[in-house]
């Protein structure tokens, strides 16, 4: 985590490279909606169906995130995936390939909402790219139940940082430390995501992956509720320089973090 936030809503159109949406592909749509609806207070409405059944989560009528049915013919992980904004998704997809990444899905049109790509970086971490049309992305921030930060857990940051900087034009701010490998990515002059090199501490069953932090009012209470709803606590709430944080998983195993923002 790093200095991730403010309470202001995101701009109307996200700066290229900024995480603008987060989406989860699952096996059980109904059970997953029930879980997150109870945990975060989300309501749901239908979204684009190009990759199969898909809903958008709403908080106070504003779009927060997406949940889709995992296609049986695509070996995608059950994981929260951040979508990074692009103004030219075809060029972005080509640059991903040229820089050693992989494009697994797209570019394809999601109705009149926009165009999407699902790809992976050279270390194998899956991410999305979104070129907005009618759907600009997450439209509320800084309140409980909204994405607060996105962090890539990977082996080491040097080569992966070069990939993301070349593809999305980020500026980087490394943490100068002998035993802490962390880089903050900046877009439009503000921090938008982090890269955390953890070496062999990566879970063997996951490999490099993006982690979404969702804001909550009370990390301890939310963790307790998550357990009651069938989720799993991977690391209990603990104090960090940016608030109390817990690492958790939903009933299907999708990992995410809860962060209690110190106001």
């Amino acid at each position: 985590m790093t200095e991730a936030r403010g309470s202001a809503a995101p701009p109307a159109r996200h700066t290229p490279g900024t995480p603008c949406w987060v989406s989860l592909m699952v096996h059980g749509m109904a059970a997953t909606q029930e879980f997150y609806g109870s945990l975060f207070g989300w309501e749901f409405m239908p979204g684009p169906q190009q990759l199969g059944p898909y809903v958008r989560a709403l908080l106070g009528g504003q779009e927060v995130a997406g949940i889709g049915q995992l296609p049986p013919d695509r070996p995608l992980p059950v994981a929260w995936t951040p979508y990074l904004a692009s103004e030219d998704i075809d060029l972005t997809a080509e640059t991903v390939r040229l820089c050693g990444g992989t494009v697994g899905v797209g570019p394809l049109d999601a109705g009149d909402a926009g165009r999407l790509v699902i790809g992976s970086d050279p270390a194998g971490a899956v991410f999305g790219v979104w070129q907005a049309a009618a759907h600009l992305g997450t439209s509320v921030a800084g309140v409980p139940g909204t994405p607060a930060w996105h962090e890539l857990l990977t082996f080491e940051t040097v080569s992966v940082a070069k990939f993301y900087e070349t593809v999305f034009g980020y500026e980087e701010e490394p943490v100068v430390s002998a035993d802490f490998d962390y880089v903050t990515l900046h877009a439009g002059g503000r921090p938008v995501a982090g890269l955390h090199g953890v070496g062999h501490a990566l879970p063997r069953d996951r490999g490099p992956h993006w982690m979404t932090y969702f804001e909550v009012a009370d990390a301890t209470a939310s963790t307790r509720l998550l357990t009651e709803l069938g989720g799993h606590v991977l690391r209990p709430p603990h104090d960090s320089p940016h608030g109390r944080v817990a690492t958790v998983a939903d009933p299907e195993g999708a990992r995410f973090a809860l962060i209690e923002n110190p106001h």
Side-chain angles (χ1 to χ4, degrees):
M1 278 299 296
T2 183
E3 47 286 345
R5 353 241 224 273
S7 57
R13 186 167 287 273
H14 294 266
T15 303
T18 303
C20 60
W21 189 243
V22 64
S23 199
L24 174 65
M25 303 297 281
V26 297
H27 298 286
M29 286 274 288
T32 299
Q33 289 177 66
E34 190 173 332
F35 172 83
Y36 285 101
S38 299
L39 182 63
F40 292 139
W42 290 350
E43 298 175 333
F44 299 93
M45 64 175 285
Q49 310 289 307
Q50 273 67 20
L51 295 178
Y54 191 84
V55 295
R56 290 177 179 159
L58 307 177
L59 197 60
Q62 298 194 78
E63 297 178 355
V64 176
I67 297 174
Q69 181 78 46
L70 204 57
D73 60 332
R74 294 191 189 276
L76 296 170
V78 177
W80 281 104
T81 302
Y83 280 71
L84 309 173
S86 170
E87 292 183 333
D88 185 341
I89 203 164
D90 296 275
L91 177 60
T92 300
E94 186 60 29
T95 310
V96 166
R97 293 190 188 97
L98 290 173
C99 292
T102 302
V103 175
V105 177
L108 62 80
D109 290 324
D112 62 355
R115 304 191 74 212
L116 69 85
V117 155
I118 300 173
S120 56
D121 67 27
V126 175
F127 62 93
V129 186
W130 182 253
Q131 181 178 335
H135 174 62
L136 296 175
T138 303
S139 57
V140 59
V143 297
T146 61
W149 186 245
H150 300 275
E151 188 169 277
L152 174 66
L153 298 174
T154 189
F155 295 110
E156 52 80 30
T157 63
V158 176
S159 58
V160 176
K162 285 194 178 73
F163 168 82
Y164 285 101
E165 287 160 21
T166 305
V167 174
F168 293 104
Y170 296 122
E171 296 173 352
E172 69 164 71
E173 180 187 330
V175 172
V176 181
S177 170
D179 57 357
F180 188 60
D181 181 12
Y182 199 98
V183 170
T184 303
L185 300 176
H186 291 248
R190 67 186 187 94
V192 295
L195 311 179
H196 190 184
V198 296
H200 296 297
L202 270 174
R204 289 179 182 273
D205 61 331
R206 287 291 289 118
H209 61 282
W210 281 91
M211 174 83 76
T212 296
Y213 288 71
F214 289 97
E215 186 161 322
V216 293
D218 183 326
T220 301
S222 292
T223 304
R224 190 181 307 119
L225 175 59
L226 172 134
T227 305
E228 293 170 359
L229 294 169
H232 310 282
V233 178
L234 306 176
R235 187 179 179 192
H238 57 279
D239 291 325
S240 81
H242 313 286
R244 282 181 67 73
V245 177
T247 306
V248 298
D250 70 17
E252 285 201 19
R255 297 169 188 243
F256 59 102
L258 305 173
I259 179 157
E260 179 183 331
N261 189 2
H263 291 291

